[in-house]
Amino acid sequence: MSRQSDVKATELRGYPRSDGRKGIRNVVIVAYLVECAHHVGREIVSNFRGKDVHLIGFPGCFPNEYAQHMMERLCTHPNIGAVLLLSLGCESFNKFSLSRIVAASDRPVATLTIQNNGGTLSTIEDGTAWVGEQLEALKAAETVPMRLDELVVGTVCGGSDGTSGLTGNPAVGRAFDRLVEAGATCIFEETGELIGCEEIMADRATTPGLADELRASVAKAARYYATLGYGSFAPGNADGGLSTIEEKSMGAYAKSGSSPISGIIKPGDIAPTGGLFLMDVVPDGEVRFGFPNISDNAEIVEMIASGCHLTLFVTGRGSVAGSAISPVIKVCANPETYRKLAGDMDVDAGRILEGDATLDEVGTEILTLIMEVARGTKTKSEHLGHREFILTYKSFEPIGPACLPTAA
């Protein structure tokens, strides 16, 4: 049996959901719907340290279609088992719509409105009781067989340096190629860090129309950053040995591997088939809300909203971030960084630079770890309790048919 056949035949276990997807975790979410409810949510979750109870939320008081859509996707993610919504009571977020959508997904959902629930202490007490009941009920949840082609994996890179494009990113690309061949869905980003790579991406598009959309998405990002007056190139990148956005882009591009690109999605879109997809995270229209993603965590959240069961995070300078809802596997590109931050890193891709491993070997290690995490093994960030989350304002237009030729 070939290596690819071995991978394809791998059986996982997942929690079945009513929409046909399966989760690799069974998390209870506490979701605040305005910053004014954040403290209450944090206090509820603090009563469940070490348990699968995660805090997410949207801080804004005024409505935003993107944020509403993202919260709907996040609260019905396959890794979610139950949802507690926290409202102050006078925010503009449509909690009724969100509650209906979660209920329609056959998940337990409750809404506590602080202004109607007696304030901070009583809401914390009631919320803690409800979450405790759900944790007890979820103990009886059973898993079912899950195929590798049902898995959705994202990748981002952050804290990049001169090693990122030599080791970590291309090693992830090797793992992606094998996942795509096995029928899994793989998502990479970000168009603002792919400037200069549009033509080589276009050459990998499955249709001419998709090739044009790939070029257009990068051109949009270039215009957006030009309007802002700065690009996706931080001082830390330069300190780490990168010289230009084009050099950074080539490294970021490497994590996509070499498989054909099947489509473009935007945050919260669900890929219709297996294959490799580019996520366009740069808002549409005029510059309205500032920098597209103010931290790496914002990109991870967008990956999760598009159904990623887990995310591969490549870093050269180092990162200690994880995420709520879905596990984060951190791939360290720089051997010196790995030695400093070994307690936070899952994969030492820097061994490639020191001649102790090849790209294929590290790619296989990443793939093996993906399957272990999908079976329940905790990542370093999960062990450490990292559950970072951020959601801001954005604005997107629906994708056109040329972006998803596989859906036709």
Side-chain angles (χ1 to χ4, degrees):
M1 185 179 290
S2 70
R3 185 177 68 174
Q4 275 72 26
S5 297
D6 285 334
V7 172
K8 193 175 293 186
T10 300
E11 184 175 288
L12 309 173
R13 303 289 298 183
Y15 296 96
R17 307 303 182 193
S18 63
D19 61 5
R21 296 185 293 173
K22 296 164 187 171
I24 64 170
R25 297 290 187 269
N26 207 19
V27 172
V28 178
I29 282 295
V30 177
Y32 59 90
L33 307 182
V34 64
E35 184 62 22
C36 307
H38 191 164
H39 172 74
V40 170
R42 186 167 54 243
E43 289 295 299
I44 292 171
V45 172
S46 71
N47 291 313
F48 300 97
R49 185 175 295 276
K51 308 284 188 182
D52 276 333
V53 181
H54 296 192
L55 181 67
I56 70 171
F58 176 58
C61 187
F62 295 97
N64 176 251
E65 185 177 348
Y66 159 81
Q68 184 83 30
H69 178 59
M70 290 285 285
M71 289 294 285
E72 292 170 358
R73 291 297 196 192
L74 291 163
C75 289
T76 56
H77 186 280
N79 287 353
I80 301 300
V83 179
L84 174 64
L85 304 178
L86 293 178
S87 162
L88 175 62
C90 54
E91 73 277 354
S92 298
F93 194 97
N94 192 337
K95 60 189 175 187
F96 305 106
S97 174
L98 179 56
S99 178
R100 285 194 297 269
I101 286 170
V102 176
S105 73
D106 291 336
R107 290 170 172 83
V109 58
T111 303
L112 293 178
T113 301
I114 297 169
Q115 291 170 347
N116 298 333
N117 205 68
T120 296
L121 293 179
S122 59
T123 306
I124 292 171
E125 182 179 354
D126 291 347
T128 299
W130 191 88
V131 170
E133 292 170 0
Q134 301 313 310
L135 282 175
E136 191 62 31
L138 289 176
K139 288 180 180 178
E142 296 183 356
T143 60
V144 297
M146 179 177 178
R147 304 183 310 275
L148 193 60
D149 62 9
E150 296 177 281
L151 200 63
V152 185
V153 181
T155 185
V156 305
C157 51
S160 300
D161 68 6
T163 69
S164 298
L166 300 174
T167 61
N169 284 333
V172 165
R174 302 294 172 96
F176 259 30
D177 285 342
R178 292 178 63 185
L179 285 168
V180 169
E181 187 163 350
T185 301
C186 293
I187 306 172
F188 72 107
E189 49 71 60
E190 165 222 335
T191 47
E193 294 183 353
L194 291 169
I195 295 170
C197 298
E198 55 269 31
E199 290 301 329
I200 52 178
M201 286 197 297
D203 288 343
R204 293 168 57 192
T206 54
T207 67
L210 177 58
D212 289 339
E213 293 290 347
L214 288 165
R215 295 186 186 98
S217 68
V218 176
K220 179 187 69 172
R223 290 192 303 272
Y224 196 98
Y225 284 114
T227 302
L228 287 174
Y230 52 87
S232 184
F233 189 85
N237 300 143
D239 290 344
L242 293 171
S243 62
T244 61
I245 183 60
E246 288 80 9
E247 185 179 12
K248 184 180 180 182
S249 293
M250 287 302 298
Y253 168 78
K255 68 183 182 290
S256 69
S258 59
S259 302
I261 298 175
S262 297
I264 299 175
I265 61 173
K266 296 181 182 180
D269 292 336
I270 305 298
T273 64
L276 179 66
F277 294 82
L278 170 66
M279 179 178 285
D280 177 5
V281 303
V282 176
D284 293 320
E286 299 298 321
V287 176
R288 298 174 59 197
F289 303 119
F291 200 77
N293 276 327
I294 62 176
S295 72
D296 298 320
N297 291 102
E299 295 175 355
I300 295 173
V301 168
E302 290 178 331
M303 287 284 175
I304 296 170
S306 286
C308 288
H309 291 94
L310 55 89
T311 302
L312 305 173
F313 186 155
V314 183
T315 183
R317 299 298 302 275
S319 171
V320 299
S323 189
I325 300 178
S326 294
V328 172
I329 295 174
K330 289 202 288 298
V331 179
C332 188
N334 189 317
E336 293 183 4
T337 301
Y338 183 84
R339 285 187 278 271
K340 293 176 184 175
L341 299 174
D344 288 276
M345 299 297 155
D346 298 285
V347 178
D348 179 12
R351 296 171 11 244
I352 298 166
L353 280 183
E354 297 183 324
D356 295 328
T358 66
L359 280 172
D360 280 332
E361 287 170 345
V362 176
T364 297
E365 180 182 344
I366 293 168
L367 181 63
T368 300
L369 184 55
I370 288 169
M371 292 185 285
E372 290 175 356
V373 170
R375 293 190 187 102
T377 298
K378 289 189 174 182
T379 66
K380 292 286 184 68
S381 63
E382 285 183 289
H383 275 297
L384 292 167
H386 281 285
R387 292 169 182 173
E388 287 80 5
F389 185 90
I390 185 169
L391 181 60
T392 59
Y393 286 92
K394 281 190 176 183
S395 179
F396 286 100
E397 299 169 2
I399 53 176
C403 293
L404 289 177
T406 54

